[in-house]
Amino acid sequence: MAITMVNPGGLPEIDVYRQVSIASGSKLVFVAGQVAWDADGVTVGEDDLAAQVEQCYLNVGTALAGAGGSFDDVAKLTVYVVDWTPDKMPLLLEGITRAAAKLGVTPVAPATLLGVAALDVPAHLVEVEATAVID
């Protein structure tokens, strides 16, 4: 496996991700920000953050599979949420949990969560991009 996840001493341990990923593979994969579109470009879960997060993660999984990888190869995730407030965290985690169950993975790569004013389409509430390293 090209990615090793680490929580170094001296940094807090976060349940939903690791602080550091160490990449040793040879193929870098950069997945464009995925929004809550299905394969036909229809927005899934309008006004439902958990449903949109789930669809975003499923789309990242599909993109990674297209490159010969999976969430096990992800070195870094960036999540953009419209009008982020901490009270939205349970919905974000619910969506991640549902997608992880469908994908059969535990997505714990280092992650950055950013609140943004808007995304590409007003109906989109979240966008997820990934960087992966594959042997």
Side-chain angles (χ1 to χ4, degrees):
M1 189 172 299
I3 304 294
T4 302
M5 300 295 171
V6 180
N7 273 325
L11 295 175
E13 288 194 23
I14 308 297
D15 289 339
V16 296
Y17 67 87
R18 303 300 174 262
Q19 294 284 4
V20 176
S21 65
I22 302 166
S24 61
S26 58
K27 182 167 70 171
L28 294 176
V29 178
F30 301 92
V31 178
Q34 297 299 302
V35 294
W37 276 331
D38 66 12
D40 296 319
V42 175
T43 298
V44 172
E46 196 163 328
D47 297 322
D48 182 342
L49 180 61
Q52 288 202 16
V53 169
E54 178 183 4
Q55 186 63 45
C56 289
Y57 272 73
L58 293 174
N59 289 349
V60 168
T62 298
L64 291 167
S70 73
F71 265 95
D72 290 335
D73 302 304
V74 173
K76 175 76 168 69
L77 288 169
T78 304
V79 179
Y80 304 89
V81 181
V82 174
D83 297 326
W84 174 258
T85 55
D87 63 312
K88 293 180 181 178
M89 184 62 81
L91 294 171
L92 179 79
L93 295 176
E94 178 185 337
I96 293 169
T97 300
R98 291 188 333 215
K102 287 181 179 177
L103 294 166
V105 300
T106 304
V108 293
T112 299
L113 172 62
L114 298 167
V116 297
L119 293 170
D120 61 331
V121 174
H124 291 160
L125 305 175
V126 62
E127 185 168 330
V128 180
E129 66 182 20
T131 301
V133 181
I134 300 172
D135 281 328

